Each structure stands twice: as structure tokens, then as C-alpha cells.
Amino acid sequence: MTTNTPQTLPDGRPIPLLTGDERSMLESWLDFHRATLELKCAGLDDAQVRRASAEPSELTLLGLVQHLAECERNWFQRVVGGLDVPPVYGAGNESGYRLDGGRGIREALDVWRREVARGREVCAGRAVEGVGRIVDGPMAGVEVSLRWVLIHMIEEYARHNGHADILRERIDGVTGA
């Protein structure tokens, strides 16, 4: 029996669909990776999520959450939706990695969740073949499909979840997922 019903792992993350249409499968993989990022931050305090991986890198879990909020806004709202929205964390911090002493993980995750929700709204009803335009950088003006953006975001999260694995292990020894 084949099912397209979302199921979850014991840790609560959704299992990506094993069968189904292309859009549902791509979105399920993206949701899996989003949930993995959130799991990597679970149970940590603000000091812990600010701990860098290893010198000379300044990469932190908090910085990754902020960066992925910026990615969500850029790719779904700016590129796919064609919306003129500023960076989440302001001019000069378009990557999201720079930390603000007053911002903790709870706030950063709330911002990230809002960006995820807004991206879903922007993409609802759009065909995967629909195109948007890259706004800035070396590929400014290039058209990309929603399919390309979904695949890129899966890749973006997968890469950064690997970083998050290393960061979490350095913080408290938790591995896996």
C-alpha cells in the first residue's frame, strides 16, 4: 500500500514523502530540513546558541537560524514573489550571520517561523514551473523557477544542517538527526 500521508519520526520531524507529486515531495523535504534545524536548537539557551564552532570560524546556531530566515525571505518573497522587502536583519547584515547582543534564540526562531509562513503564503497556488527573478548578486536578473528555488532551499538547509550537527555536538555532545 502506497501512502502520501505525512508521518513523523520519533523526534517529531516529518518524514519526507516517499511517493507523490513533485511539488508535495519537494515541499516535504524542505519541511523535514526546516524541522531538523529547529531540532538542533531545541533545549539550548542563548549562551549555547552563540557558541562558535571552532576558531577561526564565528559560525553559531543562532547565526544559522538568522541566515536561514534571510534565505527564506530572499528566495520566496523577493525572488519568487517579486516583493520589494528589506533584509530581515537590516542593511549590512543580509547574510544574517552577525549577532545582536539583545537577540536570543527564541526571538530568532519566531522571526524564522514567520518568514517560513510568509514564504508558504507567497508560493501557495504557484506552479513549480512559474518563474521569478534573482534580485541581486552576480546572477541579478536571471529567471529561476519555483522548482529551482525549492531544490536550492533543500540544498541550503541540508548544508547548514550539517554545520548545525557539528555545532550542537560541540555545545553539549548531542549527535544525530
Side-chain angles (χ1 to χ4, degrees):
M1 177 176 179
T2 303
T3 180
N4 202 19
T5 305
Q7 299 188 16
T8 58
L9 295 168
D11 60 25
R13 290 178 300 154
I15 298 172
L17 295 176
L18 302 175
T19 62
D21 65 280
E22 176 186 25
R23 170 104 180 229
S24 296
M25 291 184 78
L26 290 171
E27 288 176 342
S28 77
W29 272 103
L30 185 51
D31 286 342
F32 168 80
H33 283 293
R34 287 169 171 153
T36 299
L37 175 69
E38 197 160 7
L39 180 66
K40 287 295 168 184
C41 298
L44 298 177
D45 63 31
D46 289 342
Q48 290 172 307
V49 296
R50 291 174 173 279
R51 185 169 181 189
S53 57
E55 291 183 5
S57 175
E58 295 179 5
L59 186 64
T60 65
L61 279 172
L62 181 57
L64 283 176
V65 171
Q66 292 177 172
H67 171 69
L68 288 160
E70 291 289 0
C71 290
E72 292 278 350
R73 177 172 284 190
N74 181 64
W75 289 106
F76 293 119
Q77 294 180 53
R78 296 178 79 212
V79 174
V80 173
L83 302 174
D84 184 16
V85 292
V88 176
Y89 294 105
N93 193 17
E94 289 86 352
S95 73
Y97 288 117
R98 192 172 60 235
L99 303 182
D100 174 332
R103 184 179 310 110
I105 189 62
R106 182 171 301 170
E107 178 186 348
L109 284 169
D110 286 346
V111 168
W112 170 76
R113 287 182 195 110
R114 283 194 299 271
E115 293 304 316
V116 168
R118 182 68 181 120
R120 286 184 174 126
E121 291 170 6
V122 167
C123 294
R126 293 180 189 260
V128 292
E129 296 83 10
V131 296
R133 192 173 301 278
I134 296 176
V135 179
D136 48 28
M139 294 177 54
V142 173
E143 286 187 341
V144 292
S145 68
L146 175 55
R147 175 186 293 110
W148 186 93
V149 171
L150 289 167
I151 292 168
H152 172 67
M153 288 297 287
I154 292 165
E155 173 272 329
E156 185 82 12
Y157 273 93
R159 180 165 31 99
H160 289 313
N161 281 336
H163 299 138
D165 283 340
I166 294 166
L167 286 159
R168 183 65 191 248
E169 184 175 10
R170 181 163 169 79
I171 292 165
D172 65 1
V174 171
T175 60

